[in-house]
Amino acid sequence: MKDLLKYAPVEWRKRDEFCIPRNPFSSVANKDSILLGGSRLSFLAPVHRPKHSNLKQTLIPKKYDVLEARSAGLRVDLSMPNEHWGAMCLLSRTWAFYGPWMTGCKGELFFNVAIVERFKEYTFNAASFFNPLAFEAALVNYLNDRYGSENWGGNLSHVPRHHGPVHWKSISHFPVPCASFKIFNRGEDPNNLALPDNLLVFPISDRHFVEVCFVHEYYSRDEHGTIAFDTAPMQELQDKVVKSIELKLSPDVQSMVDKVKSEVGSLQMCKNFSPLKWPANIYPLEADSGSEARQVLKADV
């Protein structure tokens, strides 16, 4: 009760003195789950309705199988520079972190889960996304289209608006190839990197993959522009959600994964994944860039 009063979700006093905001979820919440081609993806995603944000929080019904119900394919992702990719948001959440004694919202953590498809007419070859080398190569094309196509204008047209992937980590405990990494927003100054998309990706079928994304927004800064609160509670909640993610494969999908594993030996993605050279329209993908695995599929740029 004392914490509810101390960290009331209101702002009656504007103060940017350093503080530790409250995690909106102090107790363990039940897991939500999504059905994808017979496989079940589950995770912690408690609903929160912060007054500071207008983002609508969504969740696909548990018994609705996106891949089976939309056998004709997903809708074109209009945020991309081409029509090679389809996407659908499966879940979105916003979690607000309030400071003590009615000093308002200090920051928000945005959580989004989406399924992404490479349309059949633009497929690379017969390689399955369950093959880690093929998935890495497809991921290069996806990141080039999603982030690498954006650049600053005028005399700075050679400067990309994003930088990544960085902090690449192959996830070993997952039943399919899986990796986490960051894509930073980049200012006109190449050294100005901020507010990264924290991503986790893994295939769910031969040509579909899941993209989990976290974004941190900071609202409280001091007169020097330095973040004026402890961001650890936001990171702790993100880590808790990531650790809760589980994927239970359907028997058919498990058979497909086992077949690929028997052919390639390991489902682990590469240990190192160098940042891509962007803007992609100025620096087209080179055959020898980054991981050797990216040569498995030809880039379509």
Side-chain angles (χ1 to χ4, degrees):
M1 180 61 70
K2 181 180 179 181
D3 275 355
L4 291 177
L5 293 174
K6 181 178 179 180
Y7 293 96
V10 294
E11 183 176 340
W12 286 359
R13 300 186 300 160
K14 181 64 177 178
R15 297 183 63 183
D16 288 325
E17 297 176 358
F18 190 84
C19 68
I20 301 176
R22 180 176 182 266
N23 185 327
F25 305 106
S26 56
S27 60
V28 178
N30 294 327
K31 282 190 173 184
D32 284 304
S33 65
I34 299 172
L35 197 59
L36 297 169
S39 299
R40 178 71 67 177
L41 177 64
S42 59
F43 40 74
L44 289 174
V47 175
H48 184 45
R49 296 180 177 85
K51 296 180 181 180
H52 194 86
S53 175
N54 294 319
L55 182 68
K56 183 179 180 180
Q57 305 197 46
T58 60
L59 174 65
I60 297 296
K62 291 182 179 181
K63 295 183 179 180
Y64 181 81
D65 193 316
V66 173
L67 295 186
E68 292 184 0
R70 304 185 67 86
S71 57
L74 305 179
R75 293 182 179 180
V76 173
D77 188 343
L78 298 179
S79 66
M80 301 290 256
N82 53 46
E83 297 184 351
H84 299 177
W85 303 93
M88 180 179 182
C89 178
L90 304 175
L91 174 141
S92 63
R93 292 283 187 268
T94 307
W95 298 309
F97 291 73
Y98 284 88
W101 307 122
M102 304 177 189
T103 54
C105 181
K106 300 300 180 180
E108 288 181 307
L109 176 61
F110 298 91
F111 173 48
N112 182 78
V113 181
I115 186 168
V116 181
E117 172 189 16
R118 180 78 174 187
F119 289 132
K120 287 183 178 180
E121 56 267 39
Y122 300 108
T123 53
F124 306 100
N125 57 27
S128 167
F129 280 3
F130 293 129
N131 180 327
L133 305 185
F135 185 44
E136 288 171 14
L139 192 59
V140 170
N141 283 268
Y142 174 75
L143 294 177
N144 274 342
D145 287 344
R146 167 67 69 189
Y147 298 100
S149 62
E150 297 183 0
N151 55 287
W152 294 94
N155 295 332
L156 297 175
S157 61
H158 64 287
V159 178
R161 287 180 176 266
H162 304 281
H163 174 69
V166 295
H167 302 168
W168 172 275
K169 181 181 179 181
S170 177
I171 308 299
S172 60
H173 67 272
F174 236 63
V176 295
C178 181
S180 64
F181 55 92
K182 297 177 186 287
I183 302 289
F184 279 88
N185 287 293
R186 188 173 188 172
E188 295 181 351
D189 180 349
N191 296 316
N192 183 12
L193 302 177
L195 296 176
D197 287 0
N198 301 272
L199 299 167
L200 178 78
V201 295
F202 52 90
I204 197 68
S205 81
D206 283 333
R207 58 187 180 90
H208 296 84
F209 69 90
V210 172
E211 179 185 72
V212 178
C213 181
F214 295 88
V215 177
H216 297 227
E217 290 283 356
Y218 306 132
Y219 304 134
S220 179
R221 298 176 182 269
D222 63 20
E223 65 273 16
H224 304 293
T226 303
I227 298 170
F229 65 96
D230 188 350
T231 62
M234 298 176 71
Q235 186 62 48
E236 289 169 2
L237 179 55
Q238 175 181 315
D239 293 343
K240 185 176 182 179
V241 174
V242 169
K243 290 179 181 179
S244 75
I245 296 175
E246 295 180 339
L247 179 62
K248 183 176 178 57
L249 300 178
S250 70
D252 289 343
V253 174
Q254 185 65 64
S255 296
M256 296 168 61
V257 172
D258 290 342
K259 182 177 183 297
V260 171
K261 187 174 182 179
S262 68
E263 295 171 350
V264 301
S266 173
L267 298 180
Q268 292 301 299
M269 300 185 72
C270 60
K271 293 183 178 180
N272 299 301
F273 198 114
S274 301
L276 296 171
K277 197 170 185 180
W278 293 332
N281 60 327
I282 296 179
Y283 304 105
L285 185 66
E286 299 175 358
D288 62 348
S289 65
S291 168
E292 295 179 0
R294 302 173 203 175
Q295 301 177 42
V296 174
L297 305 181
K298 292 184 179 297
D300 184 13
V301 295

